[in-house]
Amino acid sequence: MYRQRKIIKEFTTNQQGAKVFLNIDHQPKLAIPVLKDNKIRGVVLEVLAVDFHDDNHTPMITVRKNKSIKSYLLPDWYQEWAKLNIASIHSAATPFPCQIEFGYLPDEERYYAEVL
């Protein structure tokens, strides 16, 4: 007897073609380096888009990395940064795609994202 397999959709793809997992626990998180001071460079990525996961409050970025396109979750600290960038997209003042440096400065207790 033939058994029909149930196909469960685990992810969708965004406009840039990156996987966005329906279960947020499966979405990769961006590894943000902890820096000794602001003279040390953080991780620099070509960011194609900024968005929120379907839960509507977890910020995400889509990047081109080694010729592949991937989406990563960001720490909640980036919520306001993401909102500002999404608003700029709607006003046609978007900087994307662009190179952005991400890092965490423990002495200042803050994450940062700087357009290069």
Side-chain angles (χ1 to χ4, degrees):
M1 175 185 229
Y2 175 74
R3 291 181 95 185
Q4 192 173 22
R5 290 196 308 175
K6 186 176 181 180
I7 298 174
I8 299 172
K9 193 171 186 179
E10 295 181 15
F11 63 88
T12 61
T13 54
N14 64 15
Q15 289 180 328
Q16 293 74 31
K19 286 183 183 179
V20 177
F21 289 89
L22 301 176
N23 181 339
I24 196 168
D25 295 330
H26 296 155
Q27 193 70 42
K29 294 174 178 64
L30 183 63
I32 298 176
V34 176
L35 309 173
K36 290 181 182 178
D37 58 48
N38 60 6
K39 295 177 182 120
I40 299 171
R41 189 164 229 185
V43 63
V44 176
L45 298 168
E46 180 184 5
V47 177
L48 305 177
V50 176
D51 206 347
F52 286 92
H53 193 272
D54 287 340
D55 68 2
N56 290 326
H57 63 272
T58 303
M60 295 180 67
I61 57 171
T62 300
V63 302
R64 184 183 339 264
K65 192 173 180 182
N66 300 327
K67 297 186 181 182
S68 66
I69 298 175
K70 297 185 179 190
S71 284
Y72 295 96
L73 296 174
L74 294 173
D76 286 342
W77 188 91
Y78 286 100
Q79 283 183 354
E80 289 302 315
W81 177 82
K83 287 177 188 176
L84 289 171
N85 280 286
I86 290 169
S88 74
I89 292 167
H90 296 298
S91 70
T94 180
F96 304 107
C98 65
Q99 299 287 316
I100 298 182
E101 177 184 350
F102 293 90
Y104 178 74
L105 296 166
D107 289 346
E108 299 176 27
E109 297 181 351
R110 71 174 180 95
Y111 288 93
Y112 72 91
E114 183 176 334
V115 177
L116 302 178

